[in-house]
Amino acid sequence: MTNPIITRVIPAIRMLTSTAAIKVVRFDQRSELVAVEDEEDLRAISFIKKGSGILVVDETIDPTEILDDLTVKLSAWSTSNNNQPDYILLKGIGLIAIADNAYDLDVLLGASPKELKNINGRVQQKIILVTGGAQGFGGGIAELLYAQGANVVIADLNEQTGTAMADALNSNNQTNQAFFTPVNVSNAESVELMIAATVKHFGGLDAIISNAGILRAGGLDEMTPETFALMTDVNYNGYFLCAKYASVVMKAQSKYKENYFTDIIQINSKSGLKGSNRNFAYAGGKFGGIGLTQSFAMELMPNKIKVNSICPGNFFEGPLWSDPEKGLFVQYLRAGKVPGAKEIEDVKAFYEAQVPAGRGCRVIDVVRAIFYVIEQEYETGQAIPVTGGQNMLN
Ligand SMILES: NC(=O)c1ccc[n+]([C@@H]2O[C@H](COP(=O)([O-])OP(=O)(O)OC[C@H]3O[C@@H](n4cnc5c(N)ncnc54)[C@H](O)[C@@H]3O)[C@@H](O)[C@H]2O)c1
């Protein structure tokens, strides 16, 4: 089980210090910091900012005691200093840096200052984790949320593409940051570590986008039990694990800040709303995801955690459909699935014609639905179609 200092104490500190704008927080356990005895020792460390505010909390391993002690001490500290501390030293445990943005956290922990842009966007300084964020819908979602000022955690099985995505976002020189953490969403321990890495790096979690998903089509004759189990593990169980471990941190936050809403958002599919011929392993997992969404929504609303699914139509421009070697367009062309189709363009036109809007779903269409869900306080347990009219609710 992950250290409760990470799942409970750090998110609480973020909320307790977010008296004006929402803060970000970083937990640093470098050995020189764990060994610090008192404020004087800490100020002697070269990178600690001159004149910064420091609060020291005595060593204890019990998170409830730490939190009780902290709540009283923080309130006294901020009343007498008319501000919040820049650092909280949990003696023998580590140092917590507190700032208005992720870049300022870097500086508080030793990075050299540079000129960066502060983005005043729709999700400014929120901490948003995107599973499967290395490419496809997830990559595009991470990119657009970062552009709107979010601190984005890209969590993916593919370390190379995920790290490259985070580096590319950070090269925009903004005060909000992207951070990569590896994950296999179908493994409980891995998901727990992903959430812990997020909290250590940014201090909490405002929204998790459960987007990682796989598709292996096939009818009953072709589908093996192993492939069915793999798809269920990633698409269905993975969503449960993300909600389970994310909600621990979200609950810790809502306990320490009144009316602080957070979001669990599943990227579902139009196949979660209507059966999909010879694609039941995918459709079944996605239908099940909506059952989870409705049930989590009832359980978590008292904690101000909204839970919604977004059900996109086909993302024709993404790798699943457009990859020149493995994409569905090429596969369907080779398999002769579209009668009379000679080129990829013919296959694409066939599928586009099934959408009243005449085109496939794009990342921006999904991100607009994400903004709606995050900005709305009075909506939970929904499955929101973003299908250009291909699926209509009844
Ligand atoms: N592409 C579409 O047409 C479409 C339409 C509707 C819904 N969706 C849904 O959108 C989501 C993303 O789909 P996409 O088409 O962008 O997929 P994609 O294959 O382009 O990207 C998926 C990402 O998830 C990662 N991933 C796969 N298994 C993982 C695991 N076990 N743990 C962590 N990461 C894992 C991959 O490495 C990859 O980076 C899926 O949930 C999918 O069902 C896709």
Side-chain angles (χ1 to χ4, degrees), residues 47-354:
F47 64 75
I48 297 294
K49 299 291 150 239
K50 302 274 167 284
S52 55
I54 294 177
L55 170 64
V56 178
V57 179
D58 284 337
E59 181 179 355
T60 157
I61 47 159
D62 180 55
T64 309
E65 276 177 35
I66 294 182
L67 275 169
D68 290 348
D69 191 28
L70 245 174
T71 311
V72 175
K73 282 193 172 151
L74 250 178
S75 160
W77 197 98
S78 49
T79 308
S80 65
N81 292 275
N82 205 17
N83 207 343
Q84 298 295 339
D86 304 292
Y87 302 99
I88 296 178
L89 177 69
L90 296 182
K91 259 176 68 179
I93 298 174
L95 184 70
I96 291 165
I98 302 155
D100 291 329
N101 60 63
Y103 156 73
D104 284 350
L105 287 176
D106 283 354
V107 176
L108 281 174
L109 294 168
S112 347
K114 47 185 177 176
E115 199 60 34
L116 294 182
K117 291 171 277 190
N118 200 22
I119 302 295
N120 190 6
R122 286 177 82 166
V123 280
Q124 191 185 3
Q125 298 308 334
K126 279 189 187 288
I127 300 161
I128 307 185
L129 187 155
V130 187
T131 69
Q135 66 160 49
F137 265 142
I141 291 167
E143 195 178 343
L144 293 189
L145 293 175
Y146 176 87
Q148 289 293 322
N151 296 298
V152 174
V153 181
I154 293 165
D156 204 289
L157 206 51
N158 189 332
E159 296 210 28
Q160 207 183 353
T161 334
T163 308
M165 172 66 75
D167 291 347
L169 295 183
N170 285 329
S171 70
N172 287 298
N173 288 324
Q174 297 177 189
T175 59
N176 57 308
Q177 290 178 348
F179 168 69
F180 173 76
T181 187
V183 74
N184 176 357
V185 295
S186 63
N187 178 291
E189 199 187 343
S190 175
V191 174
E192 217 178 349
L193 287 171
M194 164 187 87
I195 299 294
T198 301
V199 175
K200 278 196 216 167
H201 199 77
F202 288 130
L205 185 59
D206 296 321
I208 182 166
I209 319 268
S210 174
N211 162 83
I214 54 172
L215 189 153
R216 310 269 193 278
L220 285 164
D221 290 344
E222 304 91 50
M223 179 62 63
T224 63
E226 292 74 24
T227 304
F228 185 85
L230 172 72
M231 288 182 64
T232 307
D233 266 354
V234 177
N235 296 349
Y236 181 70
N237 298 3
Y239 175 34
F240 151 65
L241 293 172
C242 285
K244 176 172 172 64
Y245 294 109
S247 62
V248 174
V249 173
M250 291 171 169
K251 282 178 194 167
Q253 292 178 165
S254 67
K255 192 169 168 196
Y256 286 90
K257 193 166 175 72
E258 217 179 321
N259 279 327
Y260 194 72
F261 285 86
T262 50
D263 286 276
I264 295 174
I265 301 172
Q266 185 213 17
I267 301 301
N268 198 288
S269 169
K270 70 179 173 52
S271 304
L273 300 169
K274 189 167 180 264
S276 184
N277 191 13
R278 295 177 187 279
N279 194 19
F280 60 83
Y282 183 74
K286 293 293 188 184
F287 265 72
I290 294 176
L292 296 183
T293 291
Q294 293 186 0
S295 311
F296 295 154
M298 289 171 182
E299 182 176 334
L300 294 174
M301 201 56 179
N303 302 97
K304 302 280 187 285
I305 304 169
K306 294 168 281 154
V307 189
N308 291 285
S309 291
I310 292 170
C311 304
N314 294 325
F315 178 27
F316 293 141
E317 290 154 22
L320 178 78
W321 285 86
S322 285
D323 185 287
E325 274 145 41
K326 301 181 296 190
L328 293 176
F329 287 137
V330 157
Q331 287 185 44
Y332 292 167
L333 181 66
R334 288 187 196 133
K337 192 170 161 166
V338 176
K342 294 196 174 57
E343 313 277 341
I344 281 184
E345 283 312 309
D346 301 330
V347 183
K348 194 171 176 201
F350 174 82
Y351 281 95
E352 281 174 346
Q354 296 171 20

